[in-house]
Amino acid sequence: MCSIYFLLLAILLPCFFEILSLSCSTVMKDTLRYLAGIAGPSGYGSKTTAQQVADNSSSPLHRLTAIITGATSGIGAETARVLAKRGVRVVIPARDIKKAAELKEGIENENPNVEIVLFEIDLSSLASVKRFCTQFLALGLPLNILINNAGIFSQNLEFSEDKIEMTFATNYLGHYLMTEMLIEKMVETAEETGIQGRIINLSSVIHSWVKRECFSFTQMLNPNNYNATRAYAQSKLANILHAKEVARQLKARSAKVTINAVHPGIVKTGIIRAHKGFITDSLFFIASKLLKSTSQGASTSCYVALSPQAQGLSGKYFADCNECNCSALANDELEAQRLWRQTRALIHRRLQYQFPTPS
């Protein structure tokens, strides 16, 4: 019984935090807008689905190639399904290749003409990420869209094969290396096709929980006192800072590639109601009003990846398919540059890898 309560509270608390983080003058209006799914400036809102966003895109998507991490379940799988259905060639690097094959088969059953390419990867392993990028680049395919979607929440302190805390290694470091190794291909593709490249980092509103004094690179690599929620929040803050710094670099070289961070919302999970009772039923009722469906959770990624309205926007933070504010720390340019340099130096030491020189 207690485990059910704790699971529900773990889902509901971020929702309440998102509401409480709003200013007092707007909390009621924004809460009602979220619950009712009222559209924001983009014309979309919290109830918008990924399919609706894709259907409203006027771009010729059949010419595009997208890489989506974490695409074997949840919003990643829905993102892959929607993009493939619209004619995008979808590349799925997955840890569980059998699960990826099952997803591919399911999408192909719905749409026989889709093109889905599978690779094996362990995002927590720098060597594995490097191997995937090398294999993908060897195919000679273009690359228009990179969605850094994969993420884990490690309840206990675990370390990757590189001896780095697992949440940070998977959610941030693996995606940093993948982006760095593939970004020149994206710049090249954009120049050759005239179609702007787009990179999307999945973040979370929980990034706002991180205090400046707790955001230490060495501690994130090997924490003294591990806290699962803090580790997850720090990785999601790192995802935003990464987007901010790479956006600055891309703009400085006038590259036709953008990078943004998105908060997908709090998405419904497969909770099994094994216990009955007033408290449990009440929590489930509240959760049902606050949580998004998988398709709704995938909508913001699809919006930033596909919508003409997101054309040219870079270094921004989106939620419910609309640009919104992130924390002051997430907007700190010096912090973003420091994190980028520290990460680059770490990867160079661990892999002896020379990053591609911008063309």
Side-chain angles (χ1 to χ4, degrees), residues 31-331:
T31 301
L32 290 175
R33 179 183 291 115
Y34 175 85
L35 293 174
I38 298 173
S42 69
Y44 300 114
S46 63
K47 303 300 182 184
T48 299
T49 66
Q51 192 65 63
Q52 289 172 326
V53 171
D55 289 345
N56 288 335
S57 174
S58 57
S59 304
L61 304 185
H62 65 278
R63 298 165 54 192
L64 305 183
T65 299
I67 293 177
I68 308 171
T69 66
T72 57
S73 64
I75 60 177
E78 177 64 7
T79 303
R81 186 191 70 80
V82 169
L83 265 61
K85 183 179 178 180
R86 290 284 279 113
V88 177
R89 177 194 290 119
V90 175
V91 178
I92 301 177
R95 183 167 188 164
D96 188 337
I97 201 70
K98 180 181 178 182
K99 196 172 181 181
E102 292 172 352
L103 172 72
K104 178 181 178 181
E105 182 180 2
I107 297 175
E108 288 174 339
N109 288 339
E110 292 182 24
N111 305 277
N113 296 322
V114 299
E115 184 177 355
I116 300 175
V117 183
L118 305 182
F119 286 93
E120 191 169 7
I121 193 175
D122 176 359
L123 264 172
S124 72
S125 163
L126 296 175
S128 179
V129 174
K130 180 183 177 183
R131 183 165 52 251
F132 157 71
C133 293
T134 301
Q135 291 171 342
F136 172 77
L137 292 172
L139 295 179
L141 294 174
L143 182 58
N144 308 92
I145 300 168
L146 172 60
I147 303 181
N148 294 319
N149 170 84
I152 65 167
F153 182 98
S154 184
Q155 189 63 47
N156 301 309
L157 177 59
E158 299 178 73
F159 290 94
S160 69
E161 67 177 39
D162 299 302
K163 304 296 187 270
I164 296 169
E165 190 279 312
M166 188 64 77
T167 301
F168 193 65
T170 304
N171 296 2
Y172 169 68
L173 282 179
H175 286 131
Y176 176 103
L177 177 57
M178 184 178 295
T179 302
E180 289 297 309
M181 289 192 67
L182 298 178
I183 200 164
E184 292 309 313
K185 169 56 70 173
M186 297 193 70
V187 172
E188 175 188 306
T189 300
E191 289 177 349
E192 291 177 352
T193 64
I195 301 172
Q196 185 180 75
R198 304 191 188 190
I199 305 169
I200 296 91
N201 283 358
L202 268 286
S203 183
S204 169
V205 68
I206 203 174
H207 81 272
S208 300
W209 288 27
V210 182
K211 296 181 180 179
R212 186 178 297 274
E213 60 270 21
C214 296
F215 195 67
S216 163
F217 189 69
T218 55
Q219 280 297 303
M220 288 185 285
L221 296 176
N222 187 8
N224 290 330
N225 298 301
Y226 182 73
N227 177 283
T229 302
R230 180 173 60 219
Y232 183 78
Q234 288 171 332
S235 73
K236 292 304 174 181
L237 172 59
N239 291 147
I240 300 177
L241 290 169
H242 176 230
K244 296 279 186 180
E245 174 57 17
V246 175
R248 185 191 67 80
Q249 294 179 14
L250 289 168
K251 182 179 180 181
R253 57 188 286 202
S254 299
K256 296 179 181 179
V257 176
T258 63
I259 178 170
N260 294 286
V262 305
H263 166 50
I266 313 302
V267 182
K268 293 175 184 176
T269 56
I271 302 171
I272 300 175
R273 300 187 63 177
H275 301 278
K276 299 290 184 179
F278 174 75
I279 297 177
T280 306
D281 290 344
S282 298
L283 287 172
F284 268 103
F285 175 77
I286 296 172
S288 69
K289 304 304 177 185
L290 292 172
L291 305 188
K292 289 186 174 185
S293 68
T294 302
S295 186
Q296 290 167 348
S299 64
T300 305
S301 294
C302 289
Y303 173 79
V304 178
L306 302 177
S307 176
Q309 296 177 70
Q311 179 80 12
L313 297 178
S314 195
K316 308 298 183 182
Y317 176 68
F318 291 82
D320 298 331
C321 301
N322 286 274
E323 185 181 340
C324 61
N325 296 322
C326 53
S327 71
L329 184 54
N331 274 317

